[in-house]
Amino acid sequence: MEHPENDEAYKGLKVNKGVADVPTVNPYLQKRIRKSFTPTEYVDGILDGNITILSQAVTLIESAKPEHQQVAQEIIERCLPYAGNSVRIGITGVPGAGKSTSIDAFGMHLLEQGRKLAVLAIDPSSERSKGSILGDKTRMEDLAREKNAFIRPSPSAGSLGGVARKTRETIVLCEAAGFNTIFVETVGVGQSETAVHSMVDFFLLIQLAGTGDELQGIKRGIMEMADGIIINKADGDNIDKANLAAAQFRNALHLFPPTNSGWIPKVLTYSGYYKLRIAEIWEMVDEYITFTRENGFFDWKRREQSKYWMYESINESLRDKFYHDPLIENRLKLVEQKVLENRLSSFMAAKEMIDLFLENISGNQK
Ligand code: GDP
């Protein structure tokens, strides 16, 4: 029987016949060597909606090599005038909350409406775990087969700030390529929500109904960021529990101060698996977008986010230059030791290092 995976629509997945002897030279090696393009070819390809070129440009953004970064920055600059024309949605929830199942269902719903969807992810732990589980094609089986969906896992290298910056830059390229809806997925465990919040228009928190004490363990800050709280797995025996959890969340939200946008966050129940009440969730998101566009908050927030990212980029670049300065790299451990042995205060140690760095760069310029 033909494997269904052989279908053209199943791009990225392929079943090969078994071989008796594994050849010593990998026959696919040739295919994996990527042709590189000029920045103009990249930009033209992206504006044309060419997914292969878009993917390769994202790979340049993710690369640590300075020559790749330089080309990537040029591509981003030239795509910027064509970017911004999308709705950006952050999606978070603890592992098991049903993020991938829900994104698959939400995505299919949006594609049916004629939208084009890019699913990106921020997972700062992916470097340690050697590979990201977020924004992974295999987790979103339906979407992965759709030509109007672009799925990209989290960039794996570096600090949260670095990973988040790369994702933000990827948004620019996706928008220039015509994706008018962007999902940014993250695991609901801490800091990464703030990073996602700083690049999206609407922040969606996926929750589960539990044993009646679901409000415990959710960081207040995360709830405060949410524009919508959606309670998943409201199906079968779980419906009553989900409704109870929704009531508890609504009560809890009343105690929060009013939001800057003037929007009152909503709480809805749904089932990602059985695709129940998905349309209501997107009606809520659309309502929010219309509401905040009308009162000016939408544009104000985007401008604030640009400002935030300017400062983030400055901080990241300064930090990078400082820690990669050979003189600093050389001295830092020694000074650290002195601090550990109480021979130098942390404050003096920091001052010494900063002074050394500043002297060094001003000396280099002379
Ligand atoms: P993630 O870790 O947040 O991406 O969660 P998954 O999407 O992988 O879902 C975790 C588990 O919950 C899987 O076994 C899903 O089949 C199940 N699940 C997800 N959504 C629903 C739902 O709406 N109803 C029910 N009953 N199970 C669900």
Side-chain angles (χ1 to χ4, degrees):
M1 200 195 94
E2 262 292 290
H3 280 284
E5 290 90 336
N6 282 340
D7 195 292
E8 239 322 280
Y10 237 118
K11 41 180 169 36
L13 289 179
K14 185 160 177 277
V15 176
N16 287 323
K17 285 212 181 86
V19 282
D21 283 314
V22 180
T24 44
V25 176
N26 182 345
Y28 296 112
L29 207 55
Q30 198 57 35
K31 284 192 190 158
R32 292 221 308 264
I33 296 172
R34 290 196 166 139
K35 180 183 181 305
S36 66
F37 302 100
T38 64
T40 306
E41 285 171 325
Y42 275 116
V43 174
D44 289 348
I46 291 168
L47 294 180
D48 227 22
N50 183 322
I51 300 298
T52 313
I53 294 186
L54 171 65
S55 298
Q56 287 182 229
V58 174
T59 306
L60 291 180
I61 289 181
E62 290 171 355
S63 167
K65 289 192 182 146
E67 64 270 27
H68 288 169
Q69 274 304 310
Q70 204 185 340
V71 180
Q73 290 309 320
E74 186 176 342
I75 299 170
I76 295 161
E77 280 301 317
R78 288 169 59 181
C79 282
L80 263 177
Y82 305 95
N85 197 11
S86 80
V87 172
R88 306 167 184 164
I89 295 142
I91 299 180
T92 191
V94 294
K99 289 182 297 303
S100 39
T101 313
S102 305
I103 290 174
D104 217 17
F106 298 163
M108 294 308 286
H109 176 77
L110 295 173
L111 294 190
E112 273 164 29
Q113 298 184 344
R115 303 203 209 184
K116 282 185 80 177
L117 172 71
V119 181
L120 313 177
I122 291 186
D123 178 6
S125 67
S126 61
E127 192 176 28
R128 253 172 293 142
S129 59
K130 292 277 174 266
S132 169
I133 55 150
L134 290 178
D136 186 337
K137 280 190 174 193
T138 54
R139 293 165 62 237
M140 294 152 198
E141 288 179 18
D142 290 340
L143 270 187
R145 288 188 277 172
E146 294 292 330
K147 74 172 191 326
N148 284 333
F150 176 73
I151 303 175
R152 185 87 187 184
S154 175
S156 62
S159 61
L160 172 59
V163 170
R165 177 180 56 79
K166 289 170 188 171
T167 302
R168 192 164 188 273
E169 292 172 345
T170 302
I171 293 179
V172 170
L173 301 198
C174 290
E175 289 176 347
F179 289 93
N180 55 13
T181 311
I182 313 278
F183 285 178
V184 186
E185 180 190 8
T186 194
V187 189
V189 285
Q191 275 296 308
S192 52
E193 276 87 358
T194 316
V196 173
H197 189 245
S198 67
M199 62 179 83
V200 298
D201 307 312
F202 189 96
F203 196 71
L204 203 49
L205 171 62
I206 300 184
Q207 286 291 330
L208 292 178
T211 50
D213 57 355
E214 37 276 306
L215 295 182
Q216 290 176 17
I218 302 168
K219 291 199 188 72
R220 191 192 150 97
I222 294 177
M223 259 184 83
E224 251 171 306
M225 276 189 259
D227 300 300
I229 296 178
I230 51 174
I231 308 201
N232 190 17
K233 308 193 189 182
D235 46 53
D237 294 344
N238 215 19
I239 294 182
D240 288 344
K241 270 201 252 168
N243 286 336
L244 181 67
Q248 287 176 331
F249 275 111
R250 282 186 199 111
N251 282 337
L253 283 175
H254 278 309
L255 304 174
F256 285 3
T259 56
N260 290 337
S261 58
W263 168 259
I264 299 166
K266 291 200 167 151
V267 183
L268 300 174
T269 63
Y270 76 108
S271 165
Y273 188 84
Y274 295 101
K275 299 186 171 44
L276 305 173
R277 290 180 301 285
I278 306 285
E280 277 93 323
I281 296 173
W282 296 96
E283 280 160 19
M284 163 176 74
V285 176
D286 288 341
E287 194 189 327
Y288 173 90
I289 302 296
T290 310
F291 178 79
T292 54
R293 273 195 201 279
E294 278 170 6
N295 73 9
F297 182 79
F298 188 93
D299 286 332
W300 177 82
K301 188 174 176 187
R302 285 218 172 163
R303 284 198 300 271
E304 282 295 306
Q305 290 176 335
S306 298
K307 186 176 90 183
Y308 170 87
W309 281 99
M310 179 189 90
Y311 285 108
E312 274 299 295
S313 303
I314 292 175
N315 293 346
E316 198 198 330
S317 149
L318 282 178
R319 219 175 6 240
D320 207 54
K321 287 209 166 53
F322 176 81
Y323 285 108
H324 287 105
D325 185 309
L327 203 61
I328 298 295
E329 278 183 331
N330 228 340
R331 284 284 198 75
L332 205 54
K333 281 284 161 205
L334 277 170
V335 175
E336 184 189 292
Q337 197 54 36
K338 281 192 193 168
V339 173
L340 283 173
E341 290 167 7
N342 260 336
R343 288 191 287 140
L344 189 65
S345 75
S346 338
F347 177 74
M348 282 309 292
K351 184 172 179 325
E352 205 176 285
M353 287 291 95
I354 301 272
D355 287 348
L356 182 68
F357 175 67
L358 293 178
E359 265 169 41
N360 190 30
I361 48 175
S362 66
N364 284 346
Q365 274 167 358
K366 274 176 200 151

